[in-house]
Amino acid sequence: MQFKKSEALYKEAVRYIPAGVNSPVRAFKAVGGNPIYMEKGEGAYLWDADGNQYIDFCASWGPLILGHNAPEIVAAATEALAKGATFGTVNHYEVALAQLVVENHRFIEKIRFVSSGTEAVMSAVRLARGFTQRDKIIKFEGCYHGHVDYLLVKAGSGLATFGESSSAGVPQSFAEQTLVLPLNDAETFEKTLAAHGNEIAAVLIEPIPANNGLLLQDRQFLQLLRDKCNEYGILLIFDEVISGFRVGFEGAAGLYNITPDICTFGKIIGGGFPVGAFGARAEIMDMLAPLGAVYQAGTLSGNPVAMAAGAACLRKCLQNDFYIQLAAKTTHFVQQINDFTAKNKFPLHLVQMGSIFWLNFSDASQEAHAASDIATEKINYFKPLFHHLLAHGVYIGPSAYEVGFVSAAHTPEILATAADAFCKSIALSFG
Ligand SMILES: *Cc1c(COP(=O)(O)O)cnc(C)c1O
């Protein structure tokens, strides 16, 4: 396998772009080597600049639930683009997408579109603060919500209750507005609310945390968040940027049947274009400008091409059995690999939720439901595994903490080939 063109492109890129990347997760820092320049995607496959072909499980980090270059999305986006890329006015595409989401999602009554997941969460938190007239928020260690200042925060050291910034450039006074708690820990959550409940505007969680491994939560814990938020007048925000339209049309809210006050979306909702969104009941959403006092705006929000693509994508997702088939395929794929690692006693098992999977470098008895549960002793095996997978024609995100995604374009045959590539690569990595 040759990477000559990728290497040349990367050499050029680092002269003009920091580390050659426009998002740090694209760098190969954790696995070594140069990032691979992808040139074409079709269905479950990617081709790089050197012509190497891969079965893709990165799926652009989640948006591509129909696979690459889905004909419905291409047709819808092309048709919209032919009439103009943007008008800066209201347009019928945004009405159609809003209607499609709201009418098929029990947990929101109104929605507003933005251009990224980060913006969606930022706007949702501002809305919660405006609604409750409180400033502080709670987030959980191991959840990612985009790169807003006051969300780039880790738990304070020692007995400190309020957060510490996890990035240079974030003022401590911003980080102090955020309390960071461990996932799936009812006791710490209840104690924190007993002490600070009346200062908290919002509890923000990825109900299916999928940005730092796949740290599945007990339904009971999510229900506790719901109940306690009611008790203290706090808004519960489900950040469904990954899980929304991924584990079901209604995301984790629908799956667990728990009603958040605000939902945030991104990734799948744009069908591969830059779209984010947030939705809630009308009483909350109507606090947004120009109706209400909470300001929020965007030059390219509701962009016609992106709205058309998003609607085409979601219409496919709404078809009968779409999610059932996707999850069933994924279960079969995951089981093949897990049977292999168990039989050979390799310290690796795949954790699955719907069409999301994660490589947990421990045996299956060691479950991870909080960031601190993640077994790290064997995680350095990810590096050889990643490169063996590439050599066997499989592309996954270049970090052990990233999840993989199965799309509608991954046929059972393609998944069988991929499972075989995984087993061979795993054997080589641990061998
Ligand atoms: C990806 C993601 C974000 C950030 O979305 P961007 O579009 O990258 O800004 C926020 N929250 C969650 C849960 C995500 O997975």
Side-chain angles (χ1 to χ4, degrees):
M1 220 171 195
Q2 290 213 338
F3 299 104
K4 281 198 175 125
K5 285 190 178 153
S6 275
E7 279 161 20
L9 281 164
Y10 182 62
K11 237 172 115 181
E12 257 325 75
V14 293
R15 293 172 59 188
Y16 309 111
I17 303 170
V21 295
N22 285 307
S23 189
V25 293
R26 296 177 197 171
F28 274 27
K29 206 175 161 187
V31 293
N34 299 329
I36 299 169
Y37 282 78
M38 295 301 177
E39 203 149 285
K40 191 180 116 149
E42 189 69 49
Y45 295 101
L46 271 174
W47 287 267
D48 69 16
D50 292 277
N52 301 306
Q53 179 181 328
Y54 309 91
I55 300 172
D56 178 32
F57 290 102
C58 179
S60 190
W61 308 97
L64 302 178
I65 195 164
L66 304 185
H68 293 273
N69 224 5
E72 302 82 358
I73 296 179
V74 174
T78 313
E79 194 194 313
L81 180 58
K83 296 177 187 164
T86 175
F87 310 123
T89 66
V90 291
N91 64 75
H92 70 84
Y93 300 103
E94 65 191 2
V95 185
L97 184 57
Q99 182 185 30
L100 196 61
V101 175
V102 170
E103 288 193 345
N104 293 288
H105 197 296
R106 280 170 295 159
F107 303 92
I108 60 175
E109 290 175 352
K110 288 191 178 179
I111 189 166
R112 188 168 270 185
F113 297 109
V114 292
S115 300
S116 70
T118 295
E119 253 188 287
V121 178
M122 178 184 79
S123 307
V125 170
R126 185 180 306 138
L127 184 54
R129 286 172 163 160
F131 187 84
T132 58
Q133 305 199 1
R134 299 172 182 175
D135 290 342
K136 299 215 186 303
I137 59 168
I138 288 176
K139 81 177 274 289
F140 295 89
E141 198 185 340
C143 288
Y144 177 70
H145 303 289
H147 64 98
V148 169
D149 281 337
Y150 54 82
L151 293 173
L152 293 178
V153 172
K154 58 186 181 209
S157 51
L159 296 174
T161 306
F162 299 101
E164 280 176 18
S165 75
S166 60
S167 163
V170 174
Q172 184 54 25
S173 59
F174 290 17
E176 279 167 10
Q177 300 303 317
T178 306
L179 286 79
V180 185
L181 305 184
L183 281 164
N184 222 38
D185 180 345
E187 196 186 324
T188 305
F189 178 70
E190 286 189 81
K191 273 191 187 158
T192 305
L193 284 201
H196 300 284
N198 298 324
E199 303 161 60
I200 309 291
V203 168
L204 171 63
I205 189 167
E206 278 182 84
I208 297 175
N211 278 288
N212 184 67
L214 185 57
L215 303 173
L216 301 177
Q217 302 299 286
D218 295 328
R219 188 192 177 280
Q220 236 180 338
F221 179 68
L222 297 172
Q223 184 65 54
L224 176 77
L225 302 186
R226 176 64 281 168
D227 296 343
K228 288 286 161 185
C229 282
N230 287 347
E231 189 181 325
Y232 287 92
I234 298 168
L235 296 192
L236 177 61
I237 305 177
F238 274 5
D239 181 357
E240 301 236 39
V241 171
I242 274 195
S243 53
F245 314 106
R246 170 55 69 178
V247 298
F249 197 88
E250 295 177 317
L255 190 76
Y256 293 117
N257 197 26
I258 291 176
T259 308
D261 294 294
I262 308 178
C263 276
T264 59
F265 305 110
K267 302 196 167 109
I268 291 172
I269 200 172
F273 287 80
V275 179
F278 57 107
R281 57 183 185 271
E283 173 202 17
I284 298 174
M285 291 305 281
D286 287 346
M287 286 206 66
L288 286 171
L291 281 180
V294 177
Y295 192 71
Q296 189 279 328
T299 301
L300 294 177
S301 295
N303 173 267
V305 182
M307 295 289 107
C313 179
L314 295 192
R315 271 189 207 106
K316 284 290 277 190
C317 294
L318 279 169
Q319 287 181 353
N320 275 347
D321 290 349
F322 179 86
Y323 290 102
I324 293 168
Q325 283 181 25
L326 199 54
K329 279 194 297 196
T330 309
T331 301
H332 186 68
F333 167 70
V334 162
Q335 252 166 19
Q336 274 177 282
I337 300 168
N338 280 343
D339 288 348
F340 177 79
T341 58
K343 199 178 93 198
N344 291 284
K345 300 200 161 53
F346 292 134
L348 173 65
H349 72 284
L350 271 55
V351 183
Q352 181 206 351
M353 173 55 95
S355 52
I356 310 174
F357 66 88
W358 173 53
L359 280 61
N360 185 344
F361 283 81
S362 72
D363 68 60
S365 65
Q366 248 180 303
E367 294 183 12
H369 303 287
S372 59
D373 295 341
I374 298 177
T376 52
E377 312 87 63
K378 300 285 194 279
I379 224 158
N380 52 338
Y381 282 101
F382 181 80
K383 199 170 162 171
L385 177 56
F386 177 81
H387 290 285
H388 285 305
L389 282 170
L390 284 183
H392 285 86
V394 171
Y395 189 79
I396 59 174
S399 157
Y401 294 91
E402 300 292 351
V403 296
F405 301 96
V406 172
S407 80
H410 289 79
T411 62
E413 295 73 33
I414 293 171
L415 287 171
T417 305
D420 190 50
F422 264 90
C423 294
K424 285 181 175 140
S425 302
I426 290 165
L428 286 166
S429 304
F430 288 113

